[in-house]
Structures are given as structure tokens and as C-alpha cells.
């Protein structure tokens, strides 16, 4: 079994007298060390500065706990790095507003590592209605199952920086946070995805919900999902696109017409002036629905999607318009659009988007996400909440 390696001076202090599955470690203050290899038994790391080396996998039956205030640093020059909880493994990363857990990369270059990836066995609805699929993160792991309450652990007050590694554009990627068929027993709260080279957050099916999320400066989409994700208790999502960015929210369902959808309240989608797309021909909508994507969204603030390529809400294809819009499966209530952004648009001239009565309503007072500031949402002295 590969072990977590610590600085030699502290090794005996930390593990003397501990069994291989012992969760307890003495409190000796901040430490330094290396996190590498497969984790097959429970491990707890005290507050410290750690190096992440390689693709670290928390295996079925094991739990990795990292204390508040810890910093974990990857290094792209040593190969691909990522922190992965496989199905049955758990991550317990519980920081605080004042002492978040930060995972970063030494060069501070977007796309330098693979971020946090969690696998579960909650249900998915993949292409052609399949109930399992193979991951697109380069690990080629199967995901999907029949356990809606799967528990992959707790991520709370965690910031991932400079992740989002593209593997094959359009078909293979790592994001800031990737959730593969993760279940509702998992806690995702007060998370930040900062300056990644792909999506800030992506949900691949599953039933997990997430609260108090910040996606800042990610190159592709701030929030993205597919495979029939249907988390029901999501709130306070904040996106700020700057320098490079595509969609605020990209919503799809693998072209499967379905009668379930996620529910998200209190959403802010902002785009800084001068922000460009990865590809000049790509629209940069605040919210884009495609491939039968749907959902129930409320209290939405949209700002900065102002020129001819951007609209607030785009329906990309005719089937999504027919089945999801006209079928009352997309609902957006209390939408406030700041500036001159066009409210709705289509992906072609072959159809016209017209939401049924009550399915798209506007408001002049919608405030969007409501987040508290603190060290968790501050980078280099600047607040990420603009």
C-alpha cells in the first residue's frame, strides 16, 4: 500500500503508535508533506502545507480527511495531478470561512491540474437512456447506479485554483470540480472554482445538491451538467467570467426527453467587459439549454452578456424548444437582466422561442446569489464577489 509521505522530521511525531486505519493524529501544528498514491484506509491530515503528486485516489471503503487551513499544491511539471474519490471512497475536506482548504498549482497557470473529482453510484440518464457511462476525465471509470443517497463525503469551504485540464476538446476534460453520479448524501457547500481552463463545476448525472458556490474566471462554462443531473436543493450560485469564458450555465441532458430536472435558486451570472470566448464563433450566453436540458430556476441576476453573440437565455436546438420549453419543463422566475442583453434567442432560424405563460418571468428587484465574504472567497487580497 502506498502511504502519505511527510517530512522526515515530523514523521515519527505524527504516526508513532497509530494503526494503519487510525483517524487520530496528535496536534503538532502545521506540517509539510506529500500526498500521493492510492489511499486504501482512513487517513487524517492535520493543518499543513502538502504537495499533491499524481492522481491520488481514495478507494472504496477509505476516507481522506484534511483539516481546515490546509494548502495542497500540485505541480504540472511532474505530470497530471488530481484528487479523486472513487465510488465508495470519501473526501472530508471541511474548512471554515476564515480558514478554507485551498488546492492550487505552483505555476498558477489555468489548466495545470485535474481538480477534485468524486464518483458515486447515484442514477444517471446517459445518451440513449443508458444507466451507466465511462468518465471523460481520462481515468475511464464507469459511473452510474441505483443509489440516489450515495455519500461521497463533505466538501465545505474548499477552493480549487488553476485546474480544469482539457484532454480532448469537446470530449475529454477535467474541471475545477467534477461530480460523477454523486448522490444526495454528499455535502457540497461554500466552494470556489478559480481560474480553471475548463468548467468551474460539472455534474454528470446524480442527485447531489450544492450551495454557496463561486465560479470565477473559468475558461469554459461556470456551471455545466449532463446525464440527467437532478439535484433538488441548490442555492446561491455565483459566476463571474473574466478574460476568457463561454456560458454562465450550460444545461443539457444527452438528448433524452425527460420529466425530471434540477432546482436552483438565487443565481448570479456576471461577465466582465472584454471577456472573450475560447473560440470566436461560440455564443457566450448567460444560460444555454441544449440536448433536452431543463430545470427550475428562480431569483436570477444576469449582467454583462451584451453584444450580438450573447443572450440571457438561449435554446440551442428545436427538440429542446419543442419538448422542454413548450412542454413546461424549463421554468425561470424572477429574472433580472442588467444592461442591454437580449432576453431570449435560438440556435438557428428554424424555430422561435416563446415561453408559455408563467414559465419565464422578470423582476426589477431580483438580487441573485447572497454570499458572505471572507478568506474563503478572497484571493490575493481581492474579493471574488464583484
Amino acid at each position: 500500500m502506498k502511504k502519505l509521505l511527510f517530512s522526515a522530521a515530523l514523521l515519527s511525531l505524527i504516526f508513532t503508535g497509530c494503526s494503519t486505519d487510525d483517524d487520530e493524529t496528535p496536534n503538532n501544528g502545521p506540517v509539510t508533506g506529500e500526498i500521493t498514491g492510492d489511499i486504501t484506509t482512513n487517513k487524517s491530515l492535520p493543518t499543513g502545507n502538502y504537495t499533491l503528486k499524481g492522481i491520488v485516489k481514495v478507494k472504496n471503503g477509505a476516507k481522506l480527511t484534511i483539516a481546515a487551513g490546509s494548502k495542497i499544491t500540485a505541480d504540472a511539471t511532474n505530470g497530471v495531478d488530481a484528487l479523486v474519490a472513487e465510488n465508495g471512497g470519501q473526501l472530508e475536506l471541511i474548512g471554515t470561512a476564515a480558514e478554507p482548504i485551498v488546492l492550487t498549482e505552483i505555476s498558477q497557470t489555468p489548466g495545470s491540474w485535474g481538480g477534485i473529482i468524486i464518483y458515486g453510484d447515484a442514477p444517471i440518464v446517459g445518451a440513449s437512456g443508458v444507466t451507466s457511462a465511462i468518465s471523460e476525465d481520462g481515468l475511464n471509470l464507469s459511473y452510474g447506479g441505483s443509489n440516489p443517497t450515495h455519500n461521497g463525503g463533505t466538501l465545505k469551504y474548499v477552493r480549487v485554483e488553476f485546474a480544469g485540464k482539457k484532454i480532448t476538446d469537446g470530449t475529454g476534460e477535467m474541471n475545477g470540480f467534477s461530480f460523477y453520479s454523486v448522490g444526495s448524501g454528499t455535502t457540497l457547500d461554500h466552494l470556489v472554482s478559480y481560474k480553471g481552463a475548463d468548467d468551474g463545476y460539472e455534474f454528470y448525472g446524480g442527485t447531489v445538491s450544492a450551495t454557496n458556490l463561486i465560479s470565477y474566471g473559468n475558461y469554459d462554462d461556470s456551471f455545466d451538467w449532463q446525464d440527467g443531473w437532478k439535484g433538488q436543493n441548490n442555492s446561491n450560485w455565483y459566476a463571474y467570467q473574466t478574460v476568457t469564458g463561454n456560458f454562465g450555465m450550460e444545461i443539457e441532458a444527452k438528448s433524452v426527453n425527460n420529466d425530471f430536472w434540477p432546482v436552483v435558486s438565487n443565481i448570479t451570472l456576471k461577465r466582465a467587459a472584454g471577456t472573450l470566448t475560447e473560440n470566436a464563433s461560440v455564443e457566450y450566453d448567460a444560460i444555454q439549454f441544449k440536448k433536452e436540458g431543463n430545470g427550475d430556476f428562480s431569483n436570477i441576476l444576469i449582467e454583462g452578456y451584451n453584444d450580438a453573440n450573447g443572450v440571457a437565455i438561449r435554446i440551442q436546438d428545436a427538440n429542446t424548444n419543442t419538448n422542454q420549453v413548450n412542454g413546461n419543463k424549463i421554468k425561470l422566475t424572477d429574472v433580472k437582466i442588467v444592461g442591454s442583453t437580449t432576453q431570449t434567442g435560438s440556435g438557428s432560424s428554424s424555430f422561435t422561442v416563446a415561453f408559455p405563460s408563467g414559465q419565464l418571468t422578470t423582476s426589477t428587484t431580483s438580487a441573485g446569489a447572497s454570499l458572505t465574504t471572507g478568506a474563503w472567497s478572497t484571493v490575493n487580497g481581492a474579493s471574488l464577489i464583484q
Side-chain angles (χ1 to χ4, degrees):
M1 178 187 72
K2 297 182 179 179
K3 298 181 179 179
L4 304 178
L5 304 177
F6 294 87
S7 57
L10 293 166
L11 186 61
S12 61
L13 292 175
I14 294 171
F15 285 110
T16 297
C18 295
S19 66
T20 57
D21 61 352
D22 196 339
D23 279 345
E24 301 299 325
T25 55
N27 182 11
N28 293 295
V31 299
T32 60
E34 184 177 275
I35 306 172
T36 191
D38 291 346
I39 296 174
T40 58
T41 58
N42 294 344
K43 294 297 179 185
S44 292
L45 302 183
T47 301
N49 297 311
Y50 301 98
T51 298
L52 182 69
K53 188 173 182 180
I55 297 176
V56 174
K57 299 177 182 177
V58 182
K59 308 294 282 189
N60 183 16
K63 179 191 296 183
L64 173 63
T65 302
I66 301 178
S70 293
K71 183 176 183 180
I72 297 95
T73 304
D75 185 348
T77 64
N78 295 325
V80 178
D81 301 313
L83 181 58
V84 181
E86 294 188 354
N87 182 27
Q90 293 186 335
L91 293 175
E92 289 289 322
L93 277 60
I94 304 177
T96 68
E99 293 186 298
I101 297 171
V102 179
L103 297 93
T104 190
E105 198 276 333
I106 193 168
S107 73
Q108 299 189 357
T109 302
S112 295
W113 68 294
I116 290 177
I117 306 170
I118 300 180
Y119 284 87
D121 56 354
I124 74 165
V125 180
S128 302
V130 300
T131 57
S132 65
I134 300 299
S135 66
E136 60 183 38
D137 55 8
L139 302 180
N140 297 317
L141 295 178
S142 177
Y143 65 99
S146 57
N147 177 21
T149 60
H150 157 264
N151 182 357
T154 300
L155 302 181
K156 191 168 185 177
Y157 291 106
V158 175
R159 185 167 72 241
V160 168
E161 302 176 343
F162 310 112
K165 184 179 181 67
K166 281 191 181 296
I167 299 171
T168 303
D169 191 29
T171 59
E173 64 188 26
M174 292 174 167
N175 306 290
F177 293 87
S178 302
F179 303 115
Y180 284 93
S181 56
V182 174
S184 61
T186 308
T187 298
L188 306 176
D189 181 53
H190 285 92
L191 307 181
V192 176
S193 182
Y194 177 80
K195 291 190 177 181
D198 209 88
D199 300 323
Y201 303 84
E202 184 152 5
F203 299 86
Y204 300 83
T207 56
V208 70
S209 295
T211 54
N212 303 302
L213 304 185
I214 295 175
S215 180
Y216 187 99
N218 292 292
Y219 281 12
D220 194 356
D221 310 315
S222 299
F223 304 102
D224 190 358
W225 62 85
Q226 56 180 290
D227 293 318
W229 173 65
K230 52 182 177 180
Q232 296 295 294
N233 298 295
N234 305 279
S235 65
N236 288 326
W237 286 16
Y238 180 94
Y240 190 82
Q241 294 180 298
T242 181
V243 183
T244 303
N246 294 337
F247 307 125
M249 296 168 65
E250 185 178 34
I251 300 167
E252 64 144 299
K254 288 292 180 70
S255 299
V256 177
N257 187 9
N258 62 86
D259 293 321
F260 54 80
W261 44 80
V263 179
V264 190
S265 63
N266 308 330
I267 303 165
T268 295
L269 305 172
K270 290 187 177 183
R271 188 178 183 89
T275 301
L276 303 175
T277 59
E278 293 180 295
N279 181 325
S281 65
V282 175
E283 309 103 341
Y284 62 82
D285 312 314
I287 306 174
Q288 184 173 111
F289 294 90
K290 63 181 65 172
K291 298 181 180 179
E292 307 283 7
N294 57 21
D296 185 341
F297 312 95
S298 60
N299 186 24
I300 307 164
L301 176 64
I302 294 171
E303 181 177 345
Y305 297 80
N306 292 328
D307 77 16
N309 289 327
V311 301
I313 302 154
R314 188 183 303 274
I315 309 302
Q316 183 66 14
D317 58 89
N319 284 342
T320 301
N321 190 58
T322 298
N323 297 325
Q324 307 304 320
V325 176
N326 298 340
N328 293 316
K329 299 175 185 179
I330 296 176
K331 187 173 185 178
L332 303 112
T333 54
D334 295 329
V335 179
K336 180 179 179 180
I337 301 172
V338 178
S340 58
T341 303
T342 302
Q343 184 182 87
T344 60
S346 64
S348 74
S349 60
S350 64
F351 64 96
T352 300
V353 177
F355 279 83
S357 178
Q359 295 300 107
L360 171 58
T361 66
T362 59
S363 169
T364 59
T365 59
S366 296
S370 177
L371 297 167
T372 57
T373 59
W376 78 282
S377 60
T378 302
V379 176
N380 297 326
S383 175
L384 304 181
I385 305 170
Q386 302 293 314

